[in-house]
Amino acid sequence: MSRNRRLILSPPSRVWGLLADGHRYGEWVSGTQQVTAADPHWPEVGARLRVRVGLGPLTLDDTCVVRICEPERRLELEAKAEPFGAARIAMNLVPWGENTLFLLEWHPLRGPGTRMHGLPVDYLVSIRNGMMLTKLARIAVREQHAAPASAPAS
């Protein structure tokens, strides 16, 4: 299992707004080349997000399914990338003063990833997820500063 934490200098409502917009995942999820479809009821339980992931010309289509959704607090996804299997991605938003402590867990559920699970793979996933949280934090903070003072932090 890979675990990452990041203090995001923006309130949970603003961070949740980024998670709740499936079309924006490509902006902050490392390796995402394109969001190909997002169910209109994203991020309700059962909603799907289809993305193309990869590096350069090597791509595959991935589907994320919402398994748990507690708005502004918790979002858990099952990411399916055949032939590699599936992984659980758990995101928890903890209010930390006026900011957000973002907790991210990733672990394989099915497929070859369960056999490769361990220190080298978890380390690489942790690096990728750390980069992802850095991108998410930058977007949330940038939008926090760009928003008019009277605008709600949806």
Side-chain angles (χ1 to χ4, degrees), residues 13-40:
S13 60
R14 182 156 315 273
V15 176
W16 180 261
L18 292 167
L19 299 181
D21 186 346
H23 294 284
R24 296 193 69 186
Y25 268 59
E27 293 178 43
W28 61 273
V29 176
S30 299
T32 301
Q33 292 187 347
Q34 176 184 10
V35 175
T36 58
D39 284 352

Side-chain angles (χ1 to χ4, degrees), residues 5-95:
R5 293 162 299 288
R6 174 74 187 234
L7 180 64
I8 300 176
L9 303 177
S10 192
S13 60
R14 182 156 315 273
V15 176
W16 180 261
L18 292 167
L19 299 181
D21 186 346
H23 294 284
R24 296 193 69 186
Y25 268 59
E27 293 178 43
W28 61 273
V29 176
S30 299
T32 301
Q33 292 187 347
Q34 176 184 10
V35 175
T36 58
D39 284 352
H41 58 283
W42 180 270
E44 294 176 13
V45 172
R48 295 177 184 277
L49 183 68
R50 290 169 185 80
V51 297
R52 182 154 296 129
V53 298
L55 185 61
L58 303 173
T59 64
L60 58 95
D61 290 333
D62 189 358
T63 301
C64 293
V65 180
V66 177
R67 296 298 183 205
I68 298 172
C69 178
E70 297 172 13
E72 296 190 22
R73 292 189 54 237
R74 180 176 173 206
L75 183 62
E76 293 202 18
L77 308 176
E78 182 175 340
K80 302 174 185 179
E82 298 303 331
F84 300 105
R88 172 184 170 259
I89 303 164
M91 296 170 273
N92 289 287
L93 288 70
V94 179

Side-chain angles (χ1 to χ4, degrees), residues 79-149:
K80 302 174 185 179
E82 298 303 331
F84 300 105
R88 172 184 170 259
I89 303 164
M91 296 170 273
N92 289 287
L93 288 70
V94 179
W96 201 260
E98 295 179 3
N99 302 310
T100 306
L101 181 59
F102 196 105
L103 308 170
L104 176 67
E105 291 183 0
W106 174 95
H107 70 85
L109 295 171
R110 294 186 300 279
T114 58
R115 291 186 295 282
M116 298 185 313
H117 190 48
L119 187 60
V121 172
D122 288 351
Y123 180 72
L124 293 173
V125 171
S126 183
I127 290 171
R128 173 195 179 261
N129 289 347
M131 292 173 16
M132 184 171 74
L133 290 182
T134 297
K135 287 182 191 177
L136 180 65
R138 285 181 181 156
I139 294 167
V141 169
R142 181 181 67 230
E143 292 183 3
Q144 175 82 9
H145 292 298

